[in-house]
Each structure stands twice: as C-alpha cells, then as structure tokens.
Amino acid sequence: MRFIPFLILAISFTHALAQDAAGEENWGWGGEELPNESFRTVTANTARVPLFDEALGERLLNKDFKFIANADSVRDAAEKSQIAYRHASQYQWNAERAEFFKNVFAYLNSDAWEQDLEKLPEGDAAFIRVVVYDAFFDSVDRRYVQIQLSKITDEKQLTYLKKIYHIKTEAEELHNGRLLLGFGIGANFFSNGADDIIKNAPSVDMNIGYCIYGRYCIDFHIGGIKCDLKEDVVQDGYTYSKKDISYTTIEGLFRVNVFTSYDFDLAVFGGLRLHALEIDSKTDEKYKEKYGRTMDDFYSYGYTTGIMGAKYFGGGNAAPKIFGVGARIGVATFGDTDLNITGYNWYATLNVLVRVGTSEM
C-alpha cells in the first residue's frame, strides 16, 4: 500500500504536462499567455506625456484658455508631467521642440497675449497669468500672486494657488487677529481749567492692543509724565510741592481701522481715560514723616476720542509688515473732579510699534 501515494503523484504530474502541451485552461500559476508584442515595442508606440510647460504651450498657441483657467486641468497636467519627467530627459525634449518654444515665447511677448487676456473674466485672466508665468519664467513673486488672488472668485482657482504658494489673500491676512505693542513719547496740552493747574509737558506712552478681524481693535494705553504743577497743592493746611507730583493717564480704547494695509493704518478711536495726580511712595513717606500724613491723590474719569495712524516697515512682502511708527492725536475730559476742570484737553503721542499676527497659515 505504500506505493499508492507515489502513484497518485506520478499521475498528477503527467496530467499537468498534458494540459500545458494541449493549451488547455490554466489555473493562474504562471501559465497565462504573453502578449504577442514585446514590452519594448508597446512602450515605443505609446504616446509621450508632455512636460507641464509643453502642455501649457500647446494650449496657449491654440488659445485654449478654458483649459488653463480650469484648476483641475492644470493640476492634472502638472501631476502627469512629474511622472513623465522621472522617465525622460527634459533637455532632449526641449531641444527637439526648440521651434515650438520659440513660438510660445514670441506669443507671450506680443500684444496679442495681453489682448487675449483682456477678453477673459478678470478672475480667469489673473489665474492664467500666475500659472503661465510660473511655468515659463520659473518663479513668480509671492506678492504678485497675492495681488492676483484678490481678483479671483472661483474657489478651486483660489485653493490651488494658495496651496501651491502657501499664501493667503491680502484680505484674509489683514483680517487675522493681530497683536499691537507700542512704546513712545508724547505731550499733553491742557486747557479748560487744567491749564491753570498743570503745565504742558512731555509724556511716556506704552500701549498694547489686539485687533479682531483686522478692523476692530481694543487698545490699552498707559502714559505718565513728571510734570510741574503751576501751584503747590495745599491740603488741610499742609503744602505739597508741585515738583513732587506726577501726572499719569490710563486709557481703555475701542479702535476702528478706517483704512488698513500691509504698509499703513488709519483709525478712529474712543474710550475711557483715567487721570491721576500722585506722589510716588518714597516721597510720600517723607511727607508723612514731616506732616504725619500723606497727600490725598487726585483721580478723575473722563472720555477720550481721536485719530491715530501708522506707517509700517519690514517683514515679508506677502504679509503685513511688522515694525512701525505711529502718531496719535486726541482730546480727553477730566470728568467730575475736585480739580475743577471741565471741557476737552488735547494730547498727542508718537510711538514705535510692533505688529504681530497671531494666526497661522
């Protein structure tokens, strides 16, 4: 009985050889028929996939702007070009089609190119400019792309360019939340009773602000001066020297940018202002030793309004600039106070600014 397994194996082997010889159905183990043509022949007869600039050039010379304005078509052509580039010599292809490229560049340098673009919708023309200039002139300035983005309304075109250039539109950049820091010098010009008490004097101004959606901002300013009063302060028969008293203001402002760009800001503002006439703690202690009491500080709350503007420098050309110089002019009231000051009092500041975007691409 031991010879039976060997007999079965021999019969199976013989049957398999007979099937191959007769060309009978195979079972998927390597018996499939090979094509009559060699792989080399198939490859040689296959149409060559053009590189991206070739594909665009053909469309340009045929005035097929509909294709170039279609973001999906452009993306598909670019992807196919990347595959073709890995398997062929771009130099050889370009050399073979020197006359073709000569015609393409002649067209791009002609008045006909601009005339043809003028016939298209503004958004399509802007998209085509970026795609074509990038393909035939190697690179396009990001700021130029951003300017063209402002003319495009087609979402696919916008998405394609934003992804390729890693860029946002100017409106999107300016409407991002932004932090504003500032430090500067200023002056207060007193009137309406304040000029009888406080002398006009320079001041120090520090501010921090945050802009929501670019246009609407909330600012806090603190400014102080070591000023001379026109008269000493007398309280309960005790005299406190006008030279020891400082004037400090704190403001909470709501600012609306009337105009904002990468280079300039112009805004109107309004808010509350705290006025304070105080003596620093060390000097006040001396008065306490001398008189047995300190000076009662003067505080008053009023309103303020005005305009401010800034010029900015530095930073990338496709993003809001970072460093700036700002000027601010406003008027403020002192409110109800023992100082007997009514009406508006002018002030102005000149600041060095830092503007920082708080959202990412």
Side-chain angles (χ1 to χ4, degrees), residues 1 78 90 103 105 124 126 132 146 157 164 193 197 208 224 237 246-247 253 255-256 266 317 342 352 355:
M1 297 296 291
Q90 184 183 23
N103 292 335
F105 280 100
D124 287 351
V132 170
Q146 192 172 57
Q157 292 175 345
I164 293 296
I197 302 172
I208 178 171
S246 64
Y247 171 70
L253 307 178
R255 170 165 56 96
V256 177
L266 180 64
N317 64 355
T342 60
V352 176
R355 178 174 62 172

Side-chain angles (χ1 to χ4, degrees), residues 275-344:
H275 305 268
L277 294 177
E278 302 171 304
I279 294 178
D280 67 77
S281 56
K282 289 185 178 180
T283 305
D284 223 10
E285 285 298 322
K286 294 179 181 178
Y287 280 112
K288 187 173 183 179
E289 292 177 2
K290 182 178 180 180
Y291 299 141
R293 56 160 289 168
T294 59
M295 187 190 81
D296 294 332
D297 297 329
F298 290 95
Y299 298 102
S300 65
Y301 303 89
Y303 302 100
T304 180
T305 186
I307 61 173
M308 64 175 67
K311 163 67 176 173
Y312 293 96
F313 309 89
N317 64 355
K321 295 180 179 178
I322 300 172
F323 304 103
V325 177
R328 184 166 66 109
I329 299 175
V331 292
T333 63
F334 272 80
D336 295 330
T337 171
D338 294 336
L339 295 178
N340 241 350
I341 298 173
T342 60
Y344 290 96

Side-chain angles (χ1 to χ4, degrees), residues 161-177:
L161 294 181
K162 288 178 184 179
K163 183 177 180 180
I164 293 296
Y165 290 94
H166 304 286
I167 195 173
K168 291 183 178 181
T169 64
E170 184 170 345
E172 288 174 325
E173 283 286 358
L174 290 172
H175 283 77
N176 287 339

Side-chain angles (χ1 to χ4, degrees), residues 7 17 30 79-80 99 116 122 125 143-144 171 185 198 256-257 262 268 288 332 337 355:
L7 179 61
L17 291 177
E79 291 174 353
K80 288 180 178 179
E99 188 65 25
D116 288 337
E122 184 182 42
R143 179 59 177 156
Y144 178 81
I185 58 173
I198 310 172
V256 177
N257 290 324
Y262 286 4
V268 295
K288 187 173 183 179
T337 171
R355 178 174 62 172

Side-chain angles (χ1 to χ4, degrees), residues 99-217:
E99 188 65 25
F100 163 77
F101 282 107
K102 181 179 178 181
N103 292 335
V104 172
F105 280 100
Y107 170 64
L108 292 177
N109 289 320
S110 69
D111 293 336
W113 162 244
E114 290 296 336
Q115 292 170 0
D116 288 337
L117 288 180
E118 290 175 1
K119 300 174 185 176
L120 302 174
E122 184 182 42
D124 287 351
F127 182 79
I128 290 172
R129 283 183 188 277
V130 175
V131 171
V132 170
Y133 289 159
D134 194 28
F136 290 99
F137 301 102
D138 295 330
S139 62
V140 176
D141 182 77
R142 293 180 76 244
R143 179 59 177 156
Y144 178 81
V145 176
Q146 192 172 57
I147 292 172
Q148 302 309 309
L149 284 177
S150 65
K151 306 173 185 178
I152 298 172
T153 57
D154 183 272
E155 285 299 325
K156 287 188 176 182
Q157 292 175 345
L158 286 171
T159 301
Y160 178 81
L161 294 181
K162 288 178 184 179
K163 183 177 180 180
I164 293 296
Y165 290 94
H166 304 286
I167 195 173
K168 291 183 178 181
T169 64
E170 184 170 345
E172 288 174 325
E173 283 286 358
L174 290 172
H175 283 77
N176 287 339
R178 293 200 177 274
L179 184 68
L180 186 70
L181 304 174
F183 178 82
I185 58 173
N188 288 268
F189 307 96
F190 299 104
S191 60
N192 296 311
D195 56 335
D196 294 331
I197 302 172
I198 310 172
K199 292 182 179 180
N200 296 335
S203 65
V204 175
D205 181 74
M206 293 176 288
N207 68 280
I208 178 171
Y210 185 77
C211 291
I212 305 170
Y213 302 119
R215 187 177 182 186
Y216 303 103
C217 313

